[in-house]
Structure formats: structure tokens, C-alpha cells
Amino acid sequence: MGRKIHPVAMRLKITRDWDARWYAEGADYVNLLHEDLKLRKFIKKEHGRAGVSRIEIERQPNLVSINIHTVRPGLIIGRKGEAVKQLRQDLQDLTGKQVKVEVTEIEKPDLDSLLVAESIAGQLERRIGHSRAMKASLDRAIKMGAQGVRIEISGRLGGSDMSRRELMSAGRVPRSTLRSMLDYGFAEALTTYGRIGVKVWIYKGEMLEDLYAQRNNDNRPQQDVYVSP
């Protein structure tokens, strides 16, 4: 099951929420979905150097709230907020709606699977050895507190005539456990020999809901308990 279903989609509303939070029916759903794709593509293109990992979109009537998770928030905000004002204006021109932009800093980029995958892909494009790039990223993630890491790359590695797949892992990576806090990322390296795919799984522990508070339906806030394996 872990190989056939996207690791994030399989755990929605269990350990992670949707990146797009809105509702529509019929043709409106199609139009808003394509609008989301345009927004994500535009932000990634304009601020690719900022290390954008996740873009959350929430819609209200005539208002689109966008939360950008990035490693370098200063590149998006700019001096005195000039860059983010220009970004908001560009997004409003693109959608024809009022846009609210928020920027969230990623404190530990070595634990973000998408950023790790893009980092490995960038090293492969600069012709750094794939084993070296995988080992360095794996060691950094474990040092930052990851419970387990799995890195898998496939393609014409090292310019070989036949494509192959190599993987490197450390610790536990329970891909089929729904309560596991498993982050997944994918990136592609465009090399002279062709495309090389990079997949990264980072396991951060388990999430267990406070079932006692939910069962008694009291006024205490529901808490998440992180349990190390």
C-alpha cells in the first residue's frame, strides 16, 4: 500500500491537512483547481531561490489567502516588504481577486523532504556524485533529529548506458503506518544524460490523538502527542 498511494494523500486528516482548503462544485471546481496550479507555478518560478517547500491556499468569497513556507523568507518579503507587495499585486492581476500573502519560515530545512530532494537534484545537475550527495543529506537529516530517512534515485546514474535505481536509508521508515509523521518529497534532476528522479522519505515519529479529551467532549484543547519509536 505504501508504494501505490502517495504518502501524504494516504495520511490526510490523520497527520497532515490539505494544502488547498476550499470547496466548489462542477465547473467552478475545475476553474479554481487550474487557478491554484497557476498560483503555485508562478510563485515557484518567481521565488525558486527562496527554497519554497509548501504553498497553502485558502479561499473565501473574493479573497485568496496564500501561506508560503520557505527557508529564506527575506527574499520573498524584501526590503521594507516591497517584494511581497509586488508579489501580492502580481497574484491579484493573475486571479482578478483580492490576495493575502503570508510567509512562514522553515526552521529546519534538513527535515523537509522536498527541500532535501531538490538539494540532491541540484547537486546531481552540478555533476556531484550521487552517492556522496545522498549520504551527506541523509547524515544531516539524522543529525537534526529525524527518526528515519530513505532516499531513492533512479535514472542513468553516472552517465551509464542503462538506467538503474539506488537507495540509501537509515533508521525506521514505516511507509504503511498511518499514524507515522512521514514527510515525502520528489524532485527531478535535468542532466546531460537525461532526467534523474529523486524520492525522499523522512520519518519524524508517531502522532497519537488525545482520545480522552475527544471522548469526554470537554472544553480542553485537543493535543497531539509525539511518540518516538
Side-chain angles (χ1 to χ4, degrees), residues 8 15 51 89 108 142 159 184 187 189 199 206 217 221:
V8 175
T15 61
Q89 184 62 43
K108 297 181 179 180
I142 293 296
Y184 171 78
K199 295 180 180 180
E206 293 184 352
N217 196 19

Side-chain angles (χ1 to χ4, degrees), residues 7-20:
V8 175
M10 187 171 64
R11 294 173 174 84
L12 284 175
K13 297 304 293 183
I14 299 176
T15 61
R16 182 167 170 173
D17 200 359
W18 282 269
D19 289 344

